[in-house]
């Protein structure tokens, strides 16, 4: 889509310094006839405030049809663009050199590389083969029924509207907008499931060329670095992955509070869901309620175009997902024959690689259609790659093959349909274990009975600690054990491909070959609280640390500031030590926990920063050849309240300072006086060293950056942190994850303008009592529709800006009472 052009950026002042250096189809239509037991005979969409659809039907096919129609109405262009991608046709319609986002991050590769990647999957009929299998590896009948209905609903909306009459200019009249098939939807679902591998490895897979091959076979690879030690290679890979995440990546927070964590008299349990997903493209979330009376009732959000609820609640259970620390893939280092480099050695026998001709259509500059064909290579372990996250992995003496734990995974669709019917947290665990379909996500849940659940049960590679010790290469040891301790780098394995025994073994208790036994994966049920903010399972609750295989993440290591903020805030509220009345969570103070926008970094480091500022001789610091007067910054920081609210003054200065001080390092590598102590992981490290030169120098650089950008040091956050929707500027509160702020927002550029690229997306707070319906409030921060002509293009974004929530309408009486109620019956 032409309007979705992104560029990541650093905090605004650092970036500036571097630069210096739809209409409703039927309104008020009569509802279809219905009985309380079966639902209406025609799928019916009831729209309430902010365009939230409540879809009711008598079958899952009807639910899918209503979802497909309503999702297309709001986001036809985003969906059509996604189907274009998974069918490997972006180069044909949009040209080969445009950028696209097949993985988690934004605009990570070219249209051509994306097309070659997906065309290879399509040529190999990966999705078709999975569809032919019985459940659990293939979709369950209910999934098939819902997706069949979704296709009918999507195509119905397109037929009623007409391509040339689509209100969204991003695809109005576009030749690539067309009716879809069920295969399109399953390919989209599969692309979402494997996206954890696409970002780091896609380019390397489609550009892998054996030494001595014709230069025309693929673009020239990045020049190989001089021979490096295993530790140096692991460090470079880690640095490349960390740098990619530093520019913005998917993340999340989730907090489940059980019966002992809620305020007396307010209920039995609560959940706060706060995924940090992209604000543009195929990974946008979309909100809905799906109901078959007496059989199925779930409310929440899904990745756009998947007709289920991925994060939300039923009558009795609420759950969310957070991005986990498992690497959903592994590499195998295969020795190649120097005379015949497409032969590799396994168990003493030279084995030929498999070659595959993959071709895609390409639009030439003159508008004609050409053809690009590549020879791609595979081994018994998987495809060859010559790069990871842009770092070269030369194909010389050896080559690297990729095994993707999710390549044969459509089971996630079954997982979510099971979650959509869960009645307690035991049902949640059972759904996760019996499908083993969740891709690279933790699950945090609570139920009406007062239980709080954390579970990292997913499609993880079957790499036990013993297997890793036996099979890791020297580079693999350094990478898997995270010697550098860089943030956001999972334990990536590189195994000895010369030994077939080093492949991931099959476990009889796992759902699919090569996966880790789900019973070995961590889970915890408590009555006070559990939570996750993208660290490993170790401190889901610090009073009961968890143990697990190394492949699942690290333990006894420093937690990020965001994890510290989540745990400390939860503990203080439950114990009544946060200055608020009473103890325990209420719906109101749980929502305030998120929108307080408190920065853990400020709690730990602001006083020392002010001391360093005040201690500068004559207020002057010589840094990078510049003599910087920082005296103006001292009272501004001293008066700042640690908050990243839109009107806060001093937050922008501190954000830039902290970003420069951290410089992409793990938190323990900052200049602390008190180092990390695994016996006190929530409170250490602490006490920033005001006398360390790095503190004063980083502050001077931040002051210089803001001045060079023309931004006053005491400017409110909203002066720089704002987005534009239809000409209206909307201030955005929150900050980058390095600051330890729960409400994460990461700014970049979209179409050359500042915009949020990642951050708080679908937010939901749900409460249960012993009886009665769940009580929930939610917010879709970027609103329901990506169409600038929709009334729901920015309505919830303005609520987000103001720190307001939407009270959910869940029961039939609540829906009927909506003053904004509009009904569409799919006759």
């Amino acid at each position: 889509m032409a309007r979705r052009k992104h560029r990541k950026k650093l905090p605004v002042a650092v970036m500036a310094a571097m630069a210096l250096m739809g209409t409703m189809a039927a309104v008020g239509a009569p509802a279809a006839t219905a009985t309380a037991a079966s639902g209406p005979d025609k799928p019916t969409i009831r729209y309430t405030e902010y365009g939230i659809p409540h879809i009711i039907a008598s079958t899952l096919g009807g639910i899918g049809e209503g979802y497909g129609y309503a999702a297309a109405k709001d986001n036809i262009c985003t969906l059509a663009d996604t189907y274009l991608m998974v069918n490997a046709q972006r180069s044909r319609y949009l040209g080969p050199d445009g950028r696209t986002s097949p993985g988690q991050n934004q605009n990570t590769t070219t249209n051509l590389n994306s097309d070659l990647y997906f065309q290879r999957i399509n040529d190999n009929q990966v999705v078709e083969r999975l569809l032919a299998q019985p459940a659990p590896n293939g979709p369950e009948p209910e999934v098939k029924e819902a997706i069949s209905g979704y296709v009918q609903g999507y195509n119905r909306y397109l037929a009623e509207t007409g391509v040339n009459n689509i209100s969204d200019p991003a695809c109005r009249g576009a030749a690539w907008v067309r009716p879809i098939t069920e295969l399109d939807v399953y390919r989209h679902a599969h692309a979402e499931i494997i996206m954890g591998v696409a970002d780091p490895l896609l380019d390397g897979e489609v550009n892998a060329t054996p030494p001595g091959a014709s230069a025309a076979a693929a673009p020239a690879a990045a020049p190989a670095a001089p021979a490096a030690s295993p530790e140096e290679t692991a460090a470079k890979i880690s640095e490349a992955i960390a740098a990619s995440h530093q520019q913005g990546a998917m993340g999340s927070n989730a907090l489940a509070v059980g019966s002992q964590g809620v305020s007396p008299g307010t209920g039995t349990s609560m959940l706060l869901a706060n995924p940090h997903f992209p604000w543009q493209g195929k990974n946008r979330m979309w909100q809905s309620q799906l109901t078959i009376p007496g059989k199925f009732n779930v409310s929440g959000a899904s990745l756009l175009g998947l007709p289920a609820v991925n994060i939300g609640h039923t009558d009795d259970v609420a759950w969310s997902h957070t991005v986990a620390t498992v690497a959903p893939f592994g590499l195998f280092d295969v020795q190649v024959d120097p005379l015949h480099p497409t032969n590799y050695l396994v168990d003493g026998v030279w084995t030929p690689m498999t070659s595959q001709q993959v071709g895609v259509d390409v639009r030439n500059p003159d508008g004609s259609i050409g053809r690009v064909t590549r020879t791609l290579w595979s081994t018994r372990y998987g495809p060859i790659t010559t790069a990871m996250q842009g770092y070269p992995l030369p194909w010389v003496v050896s080559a690297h093959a990729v095994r993707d734990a999710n390549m044969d995974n459509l089971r996630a669709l079954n997982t979510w349909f099971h979650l959509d019917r869960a009645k307690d947290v035991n049902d949640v665990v059972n759904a996760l274990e019996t499908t083993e379909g969740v891709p690279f996500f933790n699950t945090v849940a609570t139920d009406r009975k007062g239980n709080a659940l954390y579970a990292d049960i997913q499609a993880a590679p079957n790499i036990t600690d013993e297997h890793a010790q036996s099979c890791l290469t020297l580079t693999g040891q350094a990478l898997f054990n995270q010697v550098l301790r860089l943030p956001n780098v999972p334990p990536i394995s590189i195994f000895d491909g010369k030994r077939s025994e080093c492949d991931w073994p099959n476990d009889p208790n796992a759902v699919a070959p090569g996966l880790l036994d789900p019973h070995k994966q961590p889970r915890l049920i408590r009555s006070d609280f559990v939570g996750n903010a993208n660290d490993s399972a170790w401190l889901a609750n610090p009073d009961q640390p968890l143990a697990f295989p190394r492949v699942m993440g690290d333990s006894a290591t420093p937690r990020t500031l965001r994890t510290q903020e989540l745990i400390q805030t939860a503990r203080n509220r439950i114990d009544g030590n946060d200055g608020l009345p009473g103890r325990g969570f209420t719906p109101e103070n749980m929502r305030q926990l998120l929108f307080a926008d408190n920065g853990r970094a400020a709690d730990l480091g602001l006083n020392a920063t002010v001391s360093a500022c005040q201690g500068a001789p004559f207020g002057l610091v010589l840094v990078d050849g510049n003599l910087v007067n920082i005296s103006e910054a001292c009272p501004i920081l001293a008066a700042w309240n640690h908050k990243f609210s839109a009107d806060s003054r001093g937050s922008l200065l501190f954000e830039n300072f902290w970003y420069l001080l951290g410089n992409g390092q793990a938190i323990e590598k900052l200049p602390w006086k008190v180092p990390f102590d695994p016996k006190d992981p929530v409170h250490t490290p602490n006490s920033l060293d005001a006398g360390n030169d790095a503190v004063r120098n980083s502050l001077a650089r931040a002051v210089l950056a803001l001045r060079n950008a023309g931004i006053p040091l005491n400017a409110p956050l909203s002066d720089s942190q704002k987005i534009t929707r239809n000409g209206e500027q909307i201030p955005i509160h929150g900050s980058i994850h390095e600051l330890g702020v729960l409400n994460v927002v990461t700014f970049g550029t979209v179409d050359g303008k500042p915009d949020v690229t990642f951050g708080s997306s679908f937010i939901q707070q749900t409460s249960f009592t012993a009886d009665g319906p769940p009580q929930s409030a939610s917010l879709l921060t970027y609103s329901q529709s990506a169409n600038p002509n929709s009334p729901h293009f920015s309505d919830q974004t303005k609520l987000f800006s103001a720190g307001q929530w939407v009270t959910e309408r869940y029961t039939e009486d609540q829906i009927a009472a909506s003053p904004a109620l509009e009904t569409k019956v799919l006759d």
Side-chain angles (χ1 to χ4, degrees):
M1 288 162 47
R3 72 164 175 258
R4 300 302 180 206
K5 296 179 180 178
H6 298 76
R7 181 169 60 85
K8 307 292 195 316
K9 72 173 187 177
L10 308 179
V12 60
V14 176
M15 188 69 178
M18 292 174 64
L20 291 170
M21 298 170 195
T23 303
M24 173 69 66
V27 177
T33 58
T35 65
S38 63
D41 53 8
K42 301 292 183 182
T44 302
I45 307 167
R46 290 86 52 83
Y47 290 95
T48 58
E49 293 91 333
Y50 304 100
I52 298 171
H54 306 259
I55 300 161
I56 188 168
S58 59
T59 65
L60 281 169
I63 290 294
E65 185 176 359
Y67 182 108
Y69 188 98
K73 173 180 171 289
D74 282 342
N75 294 287
I76 185 76
C77 294
T78 302
L79 287 166
D81 184 71
T82 300
Y83 302 133
L84 189 70
M85 180 188 73
V86 298
N87 284 295
Q89 294 184 319
R90 293 187 63 83
S91 298
R92 176 186 177 89
Y93 290 98
L94 305 178
D97 299 326
R99 306 293 293 183
T100 189
S101 310
Q104 300 179 47
N105 295 341
Q106 301 285 30
N107 292 335
T108 54
T109 192
T110 64
N111 289 340
L112 178 59
N113 284 354
S114 173
D115 287 346
L116 290 166
Y117 178 77
F118 284 110
Q119 190 61 53
R120 177 192 230 175
I121 293 172
N122 297 345
D123 287 348
N124 292 336
Q125 295 193 313
V126 171
V127 174
E128 292 90 330
R129 176 170 46 80
L130 294 172
L131 289 174
Q133 296 186 36
N137 288 307
E140 295 178 353
E142 294 84 356
V143 174
K144 292 182 177 181
E145 182 183 354
I147 286 180
S148 176
Y150 170 87
V151 171
Q152 294 178 45
Y154 178 100
N155 289 341
R156 174 174 179 159
Y157 175 78
L158 183 59
E160 288 181 359
T161 304
V163 173
N164 293 327
N165 296 317
I166 291 172
S167 63
D168 190 342
C171 69
R172 183 187 303 131
W176 44 270
V177 180
R178 57 166 179 80
I180 61 170
T181 67
E182 292 176 24
L183 182 58
D184 292 324
V185 183
Y186 287 114
R187 283 178 172 173
H188 171 206
H190 185 255
E192 298 292 357
I193 293 166
I194 64 173
M195 65 178 170
V197 174
D199 280 337
L201 294 164
L202 181 154
D203 285 345
E205 289 183 22
V206 300
N207 290 324
T209 306
S214 168
S229 70
E231 293 78 9
E232 290 171 334
T233 299
K236 292 296 184 182
I237 293 172
S238 297
E239 288 167 356
I241 294 171
S244 172
H245 280 267
Q246 194 176 19
Q247 296 178 44
M250 285 168 55
S252 27
N253 310 307
L255 177 66
V257 176
S259 57
Q260 299 302 307
V262 299
S263 182
T266 60
T268 58
S269 65
M270 296 182 190
L271 180 88
L272 178 65
N274 177 216
H276 306 151
F277 272 49
W279 279 36
Q280 298 85 21
K282 72 178 182 66
N283 293 326
R284 279 176 64 106
M285 304 192 80
W286 186 74
Q287 188 173 359
S288 66
Q289 180 180 1
L290 310 176
T291 304
I292 301 174
K295 298 180 180 179
F296 191 89
N297 197 18
V298 61
S299 180
S302 64
L303 290 172
L304 181 63
L306 303 184
V309 166
N310 304 145
I311 291 175
H313 69 83
T314 64
D315 288 350
D316 303 296
V317 174
W319 77 97
S320 188
H321 295 302
T322 61
V323 177
T325 54
V326 177
F329 65 91
L331 299 186
F332 291 83
D333 187 309
V334 294
Q335 180 181 335
V336 300
D337 183 340
L339 299 180
H340 303 92
T342 59
N343 289 343
Y344 64 106
L345 192 66
V346 181
D347 297 335
V349 177
W350 290 107
T351 304
M353 294 181 184
T354 301
S355 65
Q356 182 177 1
Q357 296 289 311
V358 177
V360 296
D361 290 340
V362 173
R363 190 187 69 191
N364 295 320
D366 63 1
S368 63
I369 302 299
R371 187 82 172 165
V372 171
T373 301
R374 297 256 181 94
T375 301
L376 306 184
W377 298 91
S378 295
T379 68
R380 63 185 292 155
Y381 306 111
I384 295 293
T385 185
T386 51
M388 187 189 300
Q389 206 73 58
Y391 181 77
L393 299 174
W395 182 346
V396 185
V397 178
S398 66
H400 291 84
V402 181
R403 183 166 182 184
D404 183 348
N406 287 303
M407 186 55 70
D408 291 330
N409 182 3
L410 272 182
R411 301 180 306 278
L413 293 172
N414 298 334
T415 305
W416 284 314
F417 269 81
H418 283 223
L419 293 177
D420 287 357
R421 292 174 288 193
K423 295 185 179 299
D424 57 31
V425 296
N426 293 316
D427 281 353
V428 174
V429 172
N430 184 65
L432 300 175
E433 288 185 340
T434 58
T435 61
E436 213 167 346
V438 170
F440 58 87
F441 292 139
N442 304 290
T443 304
V444 178
T446 192
D447 64 22
R448 186 183 295 276
K449 299 174 183 177
N451 298 304
L453 165 72
Y454 165 85
D456 187 5
I457 303 172
Q458 57 169 293
N462 188 18
I463 301 175
T464 63
D465 293 348
E466 297 76 15
H467 191 59
Q469 184 176 3
S470 171
C471 289
L472 286 168
T473 65
L474 292 176
T475 300
Q477 290 174 23
L479 195 58
F480 190 73
N481 294 315
Q482 295 175 296
V483 171
L484 270 192
R485 279 284 306 146
L486 288 174
N488 301 306
V489 180
I492 298 170
S493 63
I494 303 180
F495 280 175
D496 181 1
K498 297 190 301 297
R499 299 156 51 201
S500 62
E501 65 184 3
C502 286
D503 201 354
W504 304 343
N506 297 333
D507 190 302
N509 294 318
V511 175
L515 298 186
L516 185 67
D517 178 354
H519 304 94
K520 294 179 180 178
Q521 300 184 38
R523 80 285 310 275
L524 179 65
I525 298 175
R526 292 180 62 91
S527 60
D528 52 357
F529 79 93
V530 295
N532 184 264
N534 306 130
D535 270 317
S536 73
W538 179 46
L539 293 187
N541 182 295
D543 294 332
Q544 193 174 351
L546 295 174
F548 40 87
R550 180 70 182 84
V551 70
M552 305 296 295
D554 56 7
S555 59
T557 56
R559 304 293 88 178
T560 65
L561 294 183
R562 187 154 49 86
T563 293
Q564 292 183 26
E565 177 72 5
L566 184 71
I567 292 173
Q568 192 61 42
T569 303
R571 270 182 162 176
N572 287 343
R573 178 78 300 265
I574 290 171
D575 295 340
N577 293 331
D578 57 2
L580 297 176
R583 53 167 292 275
F585 278 99
T586 66
E588 293 75 21
N589 63 40
M590 178 171 272
R591 294 195 291 269
Q592 182 57 29
L593 177 153
L594 180 63
F595 284 174
D597 292 317
N598 185 70
R600 178 74 171 172
D603 295 344
L604 295 177
L606 181 60
N607 289 342
T609 306
V610 172
S611 295
C613 184
Q614 294 171 338
F618 305 104
L620 300 175
V621 178
L622 181 64
V623 62
D624 303 329
N626 299 288
L627 189 62
V628 184
N629 188 330
I630 64 172
S631 58
E632 180 191 357
C634 306
I636 294 171
L637 290 174
W640 178 46
N641 64 356
H642 302 201
K643 308 294 185 185
F644 288 85
S645 54
D647 60 355
S648 66
R649 296 178 183 271
S651 56
L652 191 62
L653 174 59
F654 189 83
E655 177 187 77
N656 281 268
F657 154 71
W658 195 263
Y659 186 92
L660 291 164
L661 178 66
N663 195 29
Q665 301 179 88
I667 186 63
E668 68 269 22
K669 296 183 180 179
L670 272 63
W672 303 104
K673 290 182 177 180
V674 178
F676 170 71
D677 181 354
K679 295 179 182 179
D680 188 16
V682 179
H683 303 104
T684 60
N686 63 54
S687 302
L688 196 66
D689 185 358
N692 190 289
D693 288 344
V695 176
R696 195 172 294 162
N697 290 345
S698 297
L699 180 58
R701 291 188 179 100
V703 168
L704 183 64
L706 284 169
R707 287 174 177 160
N708 286 342
I711 300 172
L713 300 188
N714 67 341
L717 187 65
S718 59
D719 276 9
S720 296
Q721 200 161 280
K722 54 192 173 185
I723 62 176
T724 302
R725 294 291 183 268
N726 288 336
E728 180 180 357
Q729 291 190 333
I730 303 174
I732 301 294
H733 55 104
S735 188
I736 55 179
H737 70 94
E738 288 92 341
L739 273 296
V741 178
L742 297 179
N743 178 32
V744 170
V745 291
T746 302
F747 267 73
T749 57
V750 179
D751 289 345
K753 298 177 181 178
D755 210 323
V756 178
T757 51
F758 290 87
S760 291
S761 46
F762 175 69
I763 305 168
Q764 189 170 55
Q765 186 276 318
T766 303
S767 306
F768 292 105
T769 55
D771 51 24
Q775 301 168 18
S776 190
S778 64
L779 197 63
L780 191 63
T781 58
Y782 36 68
S783 304
Q784 284 282 83
S785 178
N787 177 4
N789 291 317
S790 167
H792 306 300
F793 176 59
S794 61
D795 50 357
Q796 291 196 62
T797 310
K798 295 172 186 177
L799 292 181
F800 176 56
S801 175
Q804 298 175 359
W805 296 66
V806 178
T807 300
E808 181 186 69
R809 296 184 181 275
Y810 185 71
T811 68
E812 290 301 304
D813 287 344
Q814 290 168 347
I815 295 167
S818 171
L821 184 65
E822 297 178 348
T823 301
K824 169 68 179 179
V825 178
L826 300 182
D827 295 320

